[in-house]
Amino acid sequence: MLFRKSAGKPSSTQALLRLVDRGVSSKEDHTDSGIGADTGARLWLCVHLPQLPLEVYVRAQPEPESGVLVIHDGHARSPCVIAATPRVRAAGVQAGMRLEAAHALCAGLRVQTRDTVAEQRLLHNVAAWCGQFSSLITLVPPDTILVEVRGSLRLFGGIEPVWRAVQTGVQALGLTAQLALAPVPLAATWLARAGMAVKLVGQGGVVRQLSRLPLAVLGLDERDHVSLQGMGLRRLGDILRLPRAGLARRLGPQLLNRLDQALGRVPDPRPPFEPPARFVSELLLPDDVEVMQGLLPGVQRLTEELGGWLVARVAGVTALRLSLQHQSGRDTVVRVNCAEPTRDARHIFTLLEARLERVRLPAPVQALRLLVLDSRPLAGRSTDLFEGAHAPRQILVQAHAVLLEQLRARLGDKAVRGLCLRDDHRPEHAWRWCEPGMGDAIPEPVSLRRPLWLLQGPVPLRMRDDRPWLVGELRLLSGRERIEGGWWDGTDVARDYFIAEDRHGARYWIFRELRREGRWFLQGIFA
């Protein structure tokens, strides 16, 4: 027999584990030498997405657990179930079951073929979203992401805030995540994939936690796995107690190297993930959606992804496009332009929601695609040192931009316009239309009173006994203000302006022309 348990001395094994947990090295057991080598000060938060094949399809649904959907492997002759919604699993359907058997157990079962391309695309988007927590990210395909969070602990206020932020953020993306924290990337990966939500800040405790893991985390082939089980080995702790030489002869040096990497004894270099320079994300819908309200949960998932990508790039979006994809291949396109760069996912969703309310779907929608057309660097704002001097004005400017964007999204671009001043004394020539927010700075207030509502052009008033009349007689309140000019463009005017009041107390800005017939005109209305 090649292997022999260290029977008869359980206390010595436990003592070794305790020594290793405290960082004490030995040269005779897996639980000893080299612990802490090359682990540096890094701390890896592993984000494992166990339901990724299923959630690629159902994360756009508000209640995905209520559906009756299974994902199969696409095998031509005997397709097998890979994942299923909770309602289907409650009916007895399990992973690995033949698809025919699943149909027999669950009436009305809906089926989708696994889309590995969409899974990897989503995994990359989630990794880009994780960029808001760290600049060092690595992928462990097909369903796991490693985020180095040591450098972010002070920013977020510790391990627990980072943990909660990642967990709630991934849930907002419509995904199920199993998290684990460890100073060694492979250890964090194994712990997360085993569903052990542990937080190991230092090397102490790594061996103890890994010893509890089942052999399945090693990814052995069926023959080696059965061989180890035949020897009564069930967990990693059983293997760690075996002599290294015998284990190497039995299963090869690769397994030893993997164990050493998980324990931090040897380096475990990982290629860093490079986030995309341009954001684009697609979301598959499990069913054709015919009403706009059914698209909003999916749109919200996409905007959450976009918000994380923008935070990671310290940027704000100014133009984006949402494509509603139909079976015909012709998309319904919704475009949003922002007056100011923004990375607020909630605000972006509000703009898209308002735009979608004005859209009529020509056909059912099968997928959503969100694309950033333009983004710009967005500097952070200090909330401490300059709060009193500059923050209120900055907040006012941002609030003004948000209001404009929401009005344009809800009413349409042409319904909301800006005003620019022109250097002219004539009221109807003293302004022009412009893009909102593109006008000149507002000049300092002058002593002259002007109405807030200025008519586009003068409106003739009726006259009775040579006095102005609007519903009733208008009483002049102020002295005249003479305005003359316009010979240079052929619209020469000569007017005397007055503030007038009717019998109900409403005030108007009227004038009497000094040439021709001396008629009265209404130019504006005071509030």
Side-chain angles (χ1 to χ4, degrees):
M1 187 173 181
L2 291 176
F3 302 108
R4 179 170 58 86
K5 292 185 179 178
S6 55
K9 294 183 178 180
S11 59
S12 63
T13 301
Q14 294 173 356
L16 279 173
L17 290 174
R18 285 196 295 271
L19 288 174
V20 171
D21 285 350
R22 291 199 297 268
V24 179
S25 65
S26 169
K27 296 182 179 179
E28 298 179 358
D29 196 279
H30 285 286
T31 63
D32 52 14
S33 63
I35 296 295
D38 198 48
T39 57
R42 288 178 177 174
L43 191 58
W44 295 94
L45 177 61
C46 182
V47 183
H48 175 52
L49 308 174
Q51 298 294 325
L52 191 59
L54 175 67
E55 290 171 340
V56 160
Y57 289 98
V58 302
R59 71 188 186 110
Q61 295 180 330
E63 297 179 354
E65 63 278 359
S66 62
V68 285
L69 178 67
V70 297
I71 309 299
H72 68 86
D73 57 6
H75 194 277
R77 293 186 176 179
S78 57
C80 293
V81 173
I82 293 178
T85 56
R87 183 177 169 185
V88 177
R89 294 199 299 270
V93 177
Q94 300 177 354
M97 179 180 291
R98 294 290 180 86
L99 197 56
E100 295 84 352
H103 277 292
L105 291 173
C106 184
L109 191 66
R110 296 175 43 259
V111 176
Q112 288 282 1
T113 306
R114 183 175 187 178
D115 190 340
T116 55
V117 175
E119 290 174 27
Q120 292 313 296
R121 194 163 53 224
L122 178 56
L123 186 70
H124 280 71
N125 286 343
V126 177
W129 174 87
C130 289
Q132 61 187 305
F133 301 101
S134 173
S135 59
L136 180 55
I137 297 169
T138 184
L139 298 180
V140 189
D143 52 14
T144 304
I145 301 166
L146 284 166
V147 185
E148 203 290 309
V149 296
R150 176 76 73 179
S152 306
L153 295 182
R154 178 169 296 181
L155 175 64
F156 286 89
I159 293 174
E160 288 299 330
V162 173
W163 182 286
R164 287 196 299 270
V166 173
Q167 195 165 45
T168 56
V170 173
Q171 288 175 355
L173 299 179
L175 300 171
T176 303
Q178 294 178 183
L179 305 185
L181 189 75
V184 185
L186 187 55
T189 303
W190 285 356
L191 291 168
R193 285 181 170 174
M196 296 178 62
V198 297
K199 306 179 184 72
L200 301 175
V201 179
Q203 196 64 39
V206 172
V207 175
R208 187 184 305 279
Q209 296 295 340
L210 290 182
S211 298
R212 300 167 54 193
L213 297 181
L215 298 182
V217 299
L218 296 173
L220 299 173
D221 58 35
E222 185 68 16
R223 184 178 63 85
D224 292 337
H225 191 81
V226 171
S227 176
L228 291 177
Q229 285 189 324
M231 290 184 291
L233 306 179
R234 296 291 184 271
R235 299 187 177 278
L236 285 189
D238 300 332
I239 294 182
L240 294 176
R241 298 187 187 97
L242 299 176
R244 293 174 60 89
L247 190 61
R249 287 196 302 271
R250 184 77 176 185
L251 298 176
Q254 293 80 10
L255 177 61
L256 284 180
N257 186 58
R258 294 287 286 170
L259 290 172
D260 288 341
Q261 287 179 333
L263 295 172
R265 293 169 173 162
V266 298
D268 185 11
R270 305 289 180 116
F273 169 74
E274 293 292 338
R278 190 181 189 190
F279 179 86
V280 57
S281 182
E282 294 185 5
L283 192 147
L284 302 174
L285 301 176
D287 299 306
D288 290 353
V289 178
E290 300 180 356
V291 295
M292 196 62 71
Q293 197 68 22
L295 299 176
L296 296 182
V299 175
Q300 193 166 19
R301 308 295 192 203
L302 294 177
T303 54
E304 290 291 339
E305 284 184 35
L306 173 59
W309 180 82
L310 290 170
V311 172
R313 296 184 64 83
V314 196
V317 64
T318 56
L320 57 88
R321 184 176 67 202
L322 175 67
S323 299
L324 314 180
Q325 300 177 350
H326 308 292
Q327 187 177 12
S328 62
R330 299 185 63 179
D331 298 346
T332 300
V333 176
V334 175
R335 177 167 175 155
V336 170
N337 295 314
C338 301
E340 295 288 337
T342 180
R343 62 186 179 203
D344 187 344
R346 184 177 302 177
H347 176 56
I348 296 171
F349 172 72
T350 302
L351 297 179
L352 285 171
E353 182 183 24
R355 294 275 181 177
L356 290 173
E357 288 178 355
R358 304 171 59 240
V359 173
R360 290 189 62 184
L361 292 177
V365 180
Q366 297 184 325
L368 304 174
R369 186 172 189 265
L370 186 63
L371 170 67
V372 169
L373 302 174
D374 184 46
S375 63
R376 299 174 187 174
L378 186 63
R381 182 176 66 86
S382 172
T383 57
D384 297 323
L385 186 59
F386 304 109
E387 183 73 25
H390 304 290
R393 178 171 176 79
Q394 182 66 22
I395 292 173
L396 185 62
V397 171
Q398 292 176 352
H400 178 259
V402 168
L403 175 62
L404 278 178
E405 291 162 0
Q406 292 181 349
L407 287 174
R408 298 188 74 176
R410 191 167 298 277
L411 304 176
D413 292 335
K414 295 182 180 179
V416 182
R417 293 183 288 181
L419 291 175
C420 284
L421 297 179
R422 298 177 65 183
D423 190 12
D424 200 307
H425 292 88
R426 297 166 295 177
E428 62 269 32
H429 295 280
W431 62 274
R432 65 178 175 83
W433 296 116
C434 68
E435 281 295 311
M438 301 302 291
D440 300 328
I442 301 175
E444 293 296 328
V446 296
S447 58
L448 298 175
R449 292 193 61 188
R450 292 289 185 267
L452 185 61
W453 183 1
L454 189 68
L455 303 183
Q456 192 163 2
V459 176
L461 293 174
R462 289 182 294 170
M463 298 176 60
R464 292 187 181 180
D465 299 331
D466 201 31
R467 300 187 64 82
W469 189 277
L470 179 64
V471 181
E473 181 181 353
L474 296 178
R475 184 168 58 92
L476 302 183
L477 298 180
S478 65
R480 70 187 64 188
E481 176 190 351
R482 179 157 298 179
I483 296 178
E484 293 185 273
W487 55 266
W488 51 87
D489 59 8
T491 55
D492 191 15
V493 300
R495 304 167 178 168
D496 279 344
Y497 278 85
F498 301 87
I499 297 177
E501 185 180 74
D502 65 13
R503 57 190 174 90
H504 301 293
R507 295 189 175 187
Y508 307 92
W509 199 38
I510 64 175
F511 70 84
R512 184 171 193 176
E513 59 182 6
L514 302 180
R515 300 167 185 165
R516 303 173 187 169
E517 303 174 359
R519 295 180 301 170
W520 288 90
F521 291 85
L522 175 64
Q523 185 78 67
I525 303 172
F526 291 89

